[in-house]
Amino acid sequence: MNPAQHREFQEWWNKQRQFLYQSDDALLTVEIRSPTTPDNTVDKGHTRSARQLSWLWLLKFQQLASSLAWFTNALFYILRTANRRIASPDSLSDSSSSRLYRIIRVFLILVILLLCFELVAYFKGWHFSPPSVESAEAMVERVYATWLEIRANYLAPPLQSLTNVCIVLFLIQSVDRALLVLGCFWIKVRKLKPVAAVEYGNVDGESVEAYPMVLVQIPMCNEREVYQQSIAAVCIQDWPKERMLIQVLDDSDELDVQLLIKAEVQKWQQRGVHIMYRHRLIRTGYKAGNLKSAMSCDYVKDYEFVAIFDADFQPGPDFLKKTIPYFKGNDDLALVQTRWAFVNKDENLLTRLQNINLSFHFEVEQQVNGVFLNFFGFNGTAGVWRTKALEDCGGWMERTTVEDMDIAVRAHLCGWKFIYLNDVKCLCELPESYEAYKKQQHRWHSGPMQLFRLCFLDVLRSKVSLGKKANLIFLFFLLRKLILPFYSFTLFCIILPLTMFLPEAQLPAWVVCYVPGIMSILNILPSPRSFPFIVPYLLFENTMSVTKFNAMISGLFRFGSSYEWIVTKKLGRSSEADLIAFAEKESDSIIKTSSLDRSSSDSGLNELSKLENKKAANKRKNRLYRKELALALILLTASVRSLLSAQGIHFYFLLFQGISFLVVGLDLIGEQVS
């Protein structure tokens, strides 16, 4: 409606209102003087004129047109984006020869053929009066009747048995999740948390000898975007400089990145920080090999504790003061793990959904296991180890891609205890692109299966109690690392679409909707600000099940991709302003550096400026993911079949889950690159 039409409508409406008020007054006057006299103004006050109806229909038409325009634009954008990425020669991120993709592709062809068959039967009316083999006259009718007998007698029973098994696993995992939440609630109510035996005050006011020797390690590999803030965050720790040594463990294979990191280390060396640069020529064992090589140095035995930070982590200046005191008086304590906090959790939908998952992991899983079991999986960073514990359990091993979980399990089997500090946070960065997140999740879910296969006999032979063995095997590995991705992918991506074409096997509505909804609410409780994203979170978790299932199978059966280690791409969104502000508050001697210091820093900045053009030339492109797209077509095809059978909840779940797979398959979630 243009402005002129709007003004005309407003004037007409004001006149109508004035007329109605006058009509009411006239009605009262007529009733007092002559109640029996017929009054025609009543009809005028309660009936709509033709012009009023036309305006009403015009408004409805405008709303409908706006909705259609929005839907058309969204559909056009998706189709244009899909066409551009399909046409791109670099768009295929999944190998077409992968085993899982070939299985999904065969499954897709099968469901499309079944849908065509069911559409023919639907328009023939066979859904309402199914034909039998004896009464069938035409060949197509006889084939459909034979298909009904085959699916009822031979296909539906095994599918229903598999469905029941997955439902039982689903319920067991749901009970475990509910118990974890109850344990976290009990911790909050009783205010249970570890207590430190000592407390460190001002460094200048205490004897330096009261501070234990701490070795800080920063493993990195081609961390061009984040190396400066990670090194700076560790170098400004409020800890006596003579009682702390920093190792920058660089595995970079790019010469320019090596020079930049080395210049940064030299800058802090000239400021009096005990920091050294180590580089390996051969990157064997990835991060585990890097840490193992650093721990082999002779001077390491002089340091009682080892703090580890990945390249994108920024510990607060008081990190060591908040963690080291818990080791005092706890000679059997091996690890103090702190919580992660994310500087970019609100960057896009992908980071918001990751924040929900990781908030539950730290707030619930790690805290409950730390309080009640004194054991949890080491997160690989933002933690402090006792050097003696690392040596006692065999040190870092290169046998899996989850070296952090590996060393935690071995330390637990040796009798060491862990403490988790939920109130000590370390800033870090979440992957903002689906490509980086998918590679990270593949490593996180294939590694535990490698480790389970390697350490299963060690767990059985260990001297720990039977309860700890059961916790490691059935809860830590099987339930949370194997069963969860198995039933999530099998139940919602395979069984649910099949039950649409084999209706004799049924998946109850409470399994499809109600229980997953309740579990999603429990998962989102540690991050209450994320409640508006509960539906996208539920759909996205099911979408990620294909990646987690593929990784779990790869690690369990030792496929080649299970040992692939790819550094998670970072964008350098860490809050370096806080670090600069803190550094400026130090003494004037640090601010006014020497000429050599300035030349070193300037050379690093010059090198960085020279690399800007190179970084711009190597921009990332959005990708196309074949497995997710194939599963999107499967679910959307099954939703059409569900619509024919008028199955409400199943139809809506399949429809929205199929759209979720489509969005992820087209790489429309997370960072977008034009």
Side-chain angles (χ1 to χ4, degrees), residues 452-466:
F452 176 66
R453 182 170 38 82
L454 294 171
C455 73
F456 177 71
L457 294 179
D458 294 336
V459 173
L460 295 179
R461 296 167 183 166
S462 64
K463 298 180 180 179
V464 297
S465 65
L466 186 61

Side-chain angles (χ1 to χ4, degrees), residues 329-442:
N330 293 331
D331 294 335
D332 57 349
L333 179 62
L335 168 67
V336 173
Q337 173 72 58
T338 63
R339 181 171 180 168
W340 299 359
F342 311 107
V343 297
N344 61 338
K345 62 181 179 181
D346 297 325
E347 187 66 28
N348 54 46
L349 179 60
L350 179 61
T351 58
R352 291 177 185 272
L353 300 180
Q354 292 179 68
N355 179 59
I356 296 174
N357 254 341
L358 291 172
S359 295
F360 182 87
H361 170 70
F362 285 105
E363 183 81 21
V364 180
E365 291 180 336
Q366 296 291 76
Q367 187 170 208
V368 170
N369 291 328
V371 170
F372 295 105
L373 301 177
N374 295 121
F375 166 72
F376 46 82
F378 175 45
N379 293 115
T381 179
V384 182
W385 279 90
R386 190 188 295 271
T387 307
K388 182 180 177 182
L390 291 176
E391 297 172 350
D392 185 42
C393 64
W396 299 100
M397 292 188 179
E398 308 165 5
R399 56 182 183 173
T400 70
T401 57
V402 283
E403 73 294 327
D404 45 9
M405 185 182 294
D406 186 2
I407 201 165
V409 170
R410 286 185 280 114
H412 181 58
L413 295 179
C414 292
W416 292 95
K417 295 181 179 179
F418 302 165
I419 282 181
Y420 172 73
L421 303 180
N422 190 54
D423 55 347
V424 181
K425 299 180 180 181
C426 187
L427 290 176
C428 64
E429 180 182 347
L430 291 167
E432 297 182 12
S433 67
Y434 179 69
E435 179 185 8
Y437 179 64
K438 182 177 181 178
K439 292 176 180 177
Q440 180 195 71
Q441 291 300 304
H442 188 279

